[in-house]
Structure formats: structure tokens, C-alpha cells
Amino acid sequence: MLKNCIKFIIHIIWLCVVITFCWPLPVSSSKLRVLVFKLLIICSDNFVISSKTFCLSICISQHPIQSFMYVVNYGSLQRIVDEMVVCFKEARQYERDIFSKYIAKCNVFYGGTLIFVYITGLVFVMGPVALPIDYPLECEYPFRVNYTSIIIFIYFHQSFVCFQCAAHVCLSAFGAFLLWFTAARFECLAMEFQNSSNIDTLIVCIKKQLHLRRYAEQVVNCLRFLVLYAISVGTCALTLCGIIMIVNSPQVVKTQFITISVTMLIQVYMFAWPADYMKEWSINVSRSVYDGKWYKQSLKLQKMFLNVMLYQKPITLSISCLLEELSLRYYCSYVSNAFSIFTALRVVVENKSE
């Protein structure tokens, strides 16, 4: 049951991000197939299609920037995903129970988010139906477009761009899935530490901990600049949304920008929530030995348990000098600062109007 559920989750996430070409191929893929796949990533960029509004330009800029980041980290992501799939296949019963617990915790939020993101793209695709515009995006072309075939082609092309923007936002779900998986593995390892009853099993657990910490650091290295980019894009989008809400603009335009802003806030939260859990469980692994029956073990084993407890360095998603630590606390301050920017812009506009 769990195996089918995890396969379904992986398939849904893959389906949501497939048109970004950023989900890595299996490790067993040939070099030629990998080369063609990387060329598809680069060729899928739509940065040349710029919008008159800066906010839409920011959304479109996700294509080349995120694609470049995934090309750079392609090898690491390929190994990370391959190890994740193998871990799910070989999971024992207690590990399956923990994975099921995490799925129950996250399925509603992330499932609803993926649907909401694509609805956001659909709002822009259906824009010509509700607004006096011909295309979803306001673009000018250096050739005549008053032919039915060209109008249809441009409409479908711009619609694909809108959905590709949504797919790039869904890459946050892909990154969050890797963080949740890492946190769940730390919790599984914590149970193994609690059940350690001799030196041999403890040594095995310590080796697993070192391997898992290296795995977590690989995940963080692949995601840290994507998170920084998501935060930067979200800040710009929220600022522009604040301006749109203050000045006189059509209600439909305000609705579109509110939808974009909510999407950006959700995108950052999708990373912050699992990153906070991963940090917590990377520390709890060492602390978990205290929850076991260490008092019934030999003095030598108790001393080794004590050494394990002393090592409590957390794994955090951070960038030197740019992002101290991504956590729920940071996300709360991020949202608070966004509302502060809204308030400051409103004061400036009102003072100018007076």
C-alpha cells in the first residue's frame, strides 16, 4: 500500500514538473540520452518572451535561471533521486510507517498547492476570455499577427509558457519532497539508535548517520540557490503586488497579482516547512539514544552513547552572508517584512496624492 502511494506521489510531482525538463533521468541512462536531455533543458527556456509587466518577466525568468541551476546540479540530483527510489523499495515496516506518517501530514497541503499553481496558470490562459486582450501575455511581435493560424499558434504558445511557469513553481514541491524524505530518514535512523543494544549495532547506526548527513548536505547544496532565488522572486512579486493594489487598476488585474503573490508566498513556505523538520531531526538523531534503554547497557556502551549525544550539529538550509537559515521562524519574519513593505508603499502613495 505504501509502495503504491509513494509511487503515486512521485508520479504526480514528476507530472507537474515534466515540462521543465529538470527531473533527472535514471542513473542507468546512456550518456547520449543525458546529453539530449540537458539540451532540452536549455532549449526549453522562454526568457526571450518578455512581458510588458515586470512581474511576468520575473515569472518567465524562472525558466533559464532554474534550468541552469538544475543543469549544474544534474549529477548530484540524479544520485539523490536514485538513492531515494532505492530506499523506498527496500524500506522496512517501521520505515514505511514513518513515511506514511509524513505523507498523511503533507498530502493535503502539497496536493492542494500543485492544483492551485496550475489554476493560477489557467487564470492567465483564460485572460482573453474575461479581458479585452488577444493573448494571455501582453507581447508585441515584429510581424503581422492578424491571421487566424498565427493567432491560434501564438495563443497556444503563450498558454504553454504560462503552464511552464506553473511547472517551474512546482519544482519547489520536488525540492520539498527531497527535504521531507531526508527528514523522514533521520527519524527512521533515530529509531535505530533507540533500539541499539550492542556496540556492533551502534557502529552501524553511526555509519548510517554519517552517510545520511552527507546525503542531506547534497540535497541542501542542490537546493540552496533555488531557495534564494525563490525568496528574491517572491520579494519582487510581493512589492509589485503592493503597488498594483494601491494604485487604480482593474479588478481582474488585481486578482491576477494577488494570485501570483499568494503563489510566491506558498513557494517559499514549501521549502521552509520541510527544512525546519530536517534541521530538527538531524539533531534528534543524536538525542534519540537517550530515549532508549541505555541504563540497562554496559558501561562501555553507555560511554559511546554519551559520545553520540555530544555530536548535535544540525543540517540547515543556509547560504553564507545571504541566508542565515531557512526555517518557519525565518518564514514568519519574511511575511512580516512583506506586509511592512506594503504599509510603507501605501504611506508613500497617500502622501503623494495629498
Side-chain angles (χ1 to χ4, degrees):
M1 181 65 181
L2 174 66
K3 193 174 182 180
N4 293 333
C5 185
I6 291 175
K7 281 185 178 180
F8 177 74
I9 292 172
I10 293 175
H11 183 71
I12 289 296
I13 296 177
W14 174 85
L15 192 63
C16 289
V17 306
V18 63
I19 58 176
T20 67
F21 300 102
C22 290
W23 186 286
L25 295 172
V27 176
S28 58
S29 301
S30 64
K31 292 184 178 179
L32 178 61
R33 188 181 177 190
V34 171
L35 178 61
V36 173
F37 187 76
K38 289 183 178 180
L39 290 175
L40 283 175
I41 297 177
I42 296 171
C43 293
S44 67
D45 297 344
N46 288 285
F47 186 71
V48 293
I49 306 175
S50 57
S51 172
K52 287 185 177 181
T53 62
F54 184 60
C55 191
L56 290 179
S57 297
I58 291 174
C59 294
I60 293 173
S61 71
Q62 289 185 101
H63 300 184
I65 294 175
Q66 291 195 156
S67 297
F68 175 75
M69 291 178 183
Y70 275 91
V71 168
V72 171
N73 296 310
Y74 183 83
S76 297
L77 278 170
Q78 196 176 40
R79 291 189 294 272
I80 288 169
V81 172
D82 188 67
E83 183 173 339
M84 177 183 67
V85 173
V86 172
C87 183
F88 282 138
K89 288 181 179 178
E90 300 177 353
R92 288 171 284 185
Q93 185 57 48
Y94 76 94
E95 292 175 322
R96 293 176 182 177
D97 293 338
I98 291 175
F99 291 148
S100 298
K101 181 183 70 174
Y102 276 80
I103 291 171
K105 181 193 294 289
C106 307
N107 60 358
V108 175
F109 171 74
Y110 284 95
T113 298
L114 295 177
I115 295 173
F116 174 77
V117 169
Y118 272 93
I119 288 177
T120 301
L122 185 63
V123 168
F124 281 89
V125 170
M126 300 302 294
V129 177
L131 297 173
I133 56 177
D134 295 326
Y135 306 111
L137 306 177
E138 294 185 15
C139 297
E140 293 184 2
Y141 295 91
F143 51 83
R144 297 181 65 182
V145 295
N146 55 344
Y147 299 104
T148 304
S149 58
I150 295 179
I151 291 173
I152 294 173
F153 177 81
I154 292 175
Y155 179 81
F156 279 104
H157 180 254
Q158 291 194 7
S159 298
F160 178 78
V161 171
C162 291
F163 285 120
Q164 199 172 36
C165 287
H168 272 274
V169 174
C170 289
L171 280 173
S172 301
F174 175 35
F177 185 66
L178 295 177
L179 292 172
W180 279 117
F181 168 69
T182 307
R185 287 186 69 183
F186 274 121
E187 186 172 349
C188 293
L189 183 57
M191 290 191 65
E192 292 188 38
F193 267 113
Q194 291 178 22
N195 297 326
S196 297
S197 58
N198 55 63
I199 294 177
D200 292 335
T201 56
L202 182 61
I203 290 174
V204 171
C205 289
I206 292 173
K207 288 182 178 179
K208 286 185 178 180
Q209 183 184 19
L210 294 175
H211 173 76
L212 184 52
R213 289 183 66 86
R214 287 193 294 268
Y215 180 87
E217 287 170 357
Q218 282 187 327
V219 173
V220 169
N221 288 335
C222 290
L223 298 179
R224 55 164 47 104
F225 287 103
L226 287 170
V227 172
L228 179 64
Y229 176 72
I231 292 173
S232 302
V233 168
T235 302
C236 294
L238 289 170
T239 303
L240 289 172
C241 180
I243 297 174
I244 293 295
M245 294 301 294
I246 293 170
V247 301
N248 292 326
S249 57
Q251 192 64 35
V252 176
V253 175
K254 289 184 178 181
T255 302
Q256 287 182 334
F257 275 88
I258 290 174
T259 307
I260 291 176
S261 298
V262 173
T263 303
M264 293 303 174
L265 285 174
I266 292 175
Q267 186 176 9
V268 177
Y269 182 77
M270 289 168 74
F271 283 116
W273 189 15
D276 201 69
Y277 258 80
M278 185 183 68
K279 173 194 171 184
E280 180 182 351
W281 275 107
S282 64
I283 299 175
N284 288 344
V285 166
S286 298
R287 294 176 180 172
S288 62
V289 297
Y290 185 78
D291 297 327
K293 297 180 180 180
W294 56 270
Y295 49 86
K296 292 184 179 181
Q297 308 302 330
S298 64
L299 182 61
K300 183 178 181 180
L301 191 57
Q302 289 181 21
K303 288 181 179 179
M304 293 186 69
F305 281 152
L306 181 60
N307 290 331
V308 171
M309 290 182 63
L310 291 175
Y311 188 73
Q312 296 184 5
K313 185 179 180 181
I315 301 291
T316 59
L317 208 165
S318 59
I319 303 175
S320 300
C321 304
L322 296 176
L323 179 61
E324 182 178 356
E325 177 187 318
L326 183 66
S327 61
L328 292 178
R329 184 184 295 274
Y330 172 84
Y331 181 78
C332 291
S333 64
Y334 175 77
V335 175
S336 177
N337 291 335
F339 281 105
S340 298
I341 293 173
F342 287 169
T343 303
L345 288 172
R346 182 175 182 178
V347 171
V348 171
V349 172
E350 287 179 351
N351 288 340
K352 285 187 177 181
S353 62
E354 291 177 357

